[in-house]
């Protein structure tokens, strides 16, 4: 193997390692901390040292790897505390945590990507949070499309966010730029 190929192979391995670590962190920090005997604090934080210890031997984590995952996450899924000693997921939890988000005035229109097979139910019931705490919305169509593709043939819904806001619905902006709201009734939805 020549030097360039070797470097590429190393980067590839490390990208895989980052992905695997990111999936593991999503699993324990958003959904099942108890799977490794971990407890999130009320705001979703865990001590990095405790996380590393409890994650082994399931997965080998070190501070450098975790910091790389936090820095390289395409959607900035995780945050480190200011002192670097604790970590939490920025959003997407199914376990109960208080992310201490304050309500914020949303842009006029937000987007939600879903699969065409969910449309009849969504247009009837509106958008529901399902397993998550909130319905997730984005400011751009491209993000919505890639979120929708995860579920099948994608379709984009436009949400009349200002109208909802004026009617008293609360919106929150997560640290990684995802707009969150409790539900979107059908009256505020239309297909893009
Ligand atoms: C659909 C990823 C039928 C909803 C992404 C969605 C996002 C309904 C699915 C984040 C419905 C739930 C969240 C109704 C909603 N009837 N279906 N009444 N209301 N749905 O994965 O928004 O990679 O829980 O349209 O980037 O797809 O995890 O939510 O299709 O930001 O960081 O039910 O997850 O981020 O699916 O994705 P999900 P989502 P991460």
């Amino acid at each position: 193997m020549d030097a360039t190929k070797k470097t590429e192979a190393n980067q590839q391995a490390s990208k895989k390692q980052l992905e695997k670590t990111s999936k593991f962190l999503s699993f324990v920090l958003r959904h099942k901390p108890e799977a490794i005997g971990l407890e999130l604090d009320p705001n979703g934080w865990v001590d990095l040292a405790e996380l590393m210890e409890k994650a082994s031997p399931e997965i080998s984590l070190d501070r450098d790897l975790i910091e790389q995952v936090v820095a390289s996450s395409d959607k900035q899924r995780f945050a480190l505390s200011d002192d670097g000693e604790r970590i939490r997921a920025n959003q997407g939890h199914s376990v109960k945590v208080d992310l201490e988000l304050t309500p914020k005035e949303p842009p006029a229109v937000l987007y939600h990507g879903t699969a065409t097979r969910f449309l009849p139910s969504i247009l009837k019931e509106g958008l529901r949070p399902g397993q998550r705490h909130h319905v997730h919305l984005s400011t751009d169509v491209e993000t919505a499309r890639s979120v929708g593709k995860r579920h099948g043939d994608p379709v984009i819904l436009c949400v009349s966010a200002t109208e909802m806001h004026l009617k008293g619905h609360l919106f929150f902006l997560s640290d990684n730029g995802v707009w969150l709201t409790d539900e979107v009734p059908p009256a505020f939805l239309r297909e893009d």
Side-chain angles (χ1 to χ4, degrees):
M1 202 186 274
D2 69 28
T4 333
K5 281 212 177 107
K6 203 167 169 200
T7 313
E8 277 172 10
N10 285 345
Q11 277 172 356
Q12 183 60 27
S14 132
K15 198 178 154 211
K16 269 196 184 150
Q17 198 184 6
L18 290 176
E19 254 176 49
K20 185 178 164 209
T21 310
S22 175
K23 285 198 170 139
F24 176 81
L25 291 178
S26 285
F27 177 69
V28 296
L29 297 177
R30 287 170 166 180
H31 306 299
K32 277 230 176 262
E34 71 274 16
I36 58 166
L38 203 61
E39 208 176 312
L40 308 185
D41 87 356
N43 307 123
W45 295 101
V46 296
D47 188 68
L48 219 49
E50 190 188 345
L51 167 68
M52 291 188 285
E53 189 200 317
K54 293 195 166 154
S56 112
E58 185 129 351
I59 186 169
S60 164
L61 297 178
D62 60 48
R63 193 172 284 267
D64 182 53
L65 177 61
I66 293 175
E67 282 174 4
Q68 276 189 56
V69 170
V70 173
S72 67
S73 170
D74 52 350
K75 294 183 190 159
Q76 294 176 280
R77 291 186 177 89
F78 313 103
L80 289 171
S81 57
D82 290 342
D83 63 4
E85 295 303 321
R86 296 178 305 151
I87 185 169
R88 76 173 176 186
N90 277 328
Q91 39 71 230
H93 299 79
S94 56
V95 293
K96 198 172 178 318
V97 291
D98 175 7
L99 293 174
E100 303 158 287
L101 299 171
T102 44
K104 211 175 158 170
E105 187 178 336
V109 176
L110 287 165
Y111 301 94
H112 179 87
T114 188
T116 47
R117 68 197 155 95
F118 296 147
L119 263 188
S121 159
I122 292 174
L123 294 176
K124 193 164 153 237
E125 301 176 356
L127 286 170
R128 300 266 175 87
Q131 299 296 309
R132 307 197 191 240
H133 289 192
H134 296 101
V135 170
H136 289 220
L137 305 169
S138 61
T139 48
D140 66 293
V141 175
E142 274 327 299
T143 303
R145 194 178 312 280
S146 64
V147 171
K149 271 190 191 156
R150 292 157 52 253
H151 299 286
D153 185 19
V155 56
I156 311 294
L157 296 167
C158 300
V159 174
S160 307
T162 295
E163 248 182 81
M164 280 183 68
H165 176 66
L166 291 173
K167 296 241 160 80
H169 290 264
L170 297 181
F171 286 81
F172 307 89
L173 181 59
S174 75
D175 284 349
N176 60 341
V178 178
W179 281 91
L180 306 166
T181 193
D182 285 350
E183 54 153 358
V184 181
F188 302 103
L189 287 170
R190 66 174 168 80
E191 268 185 70
D192 188 34

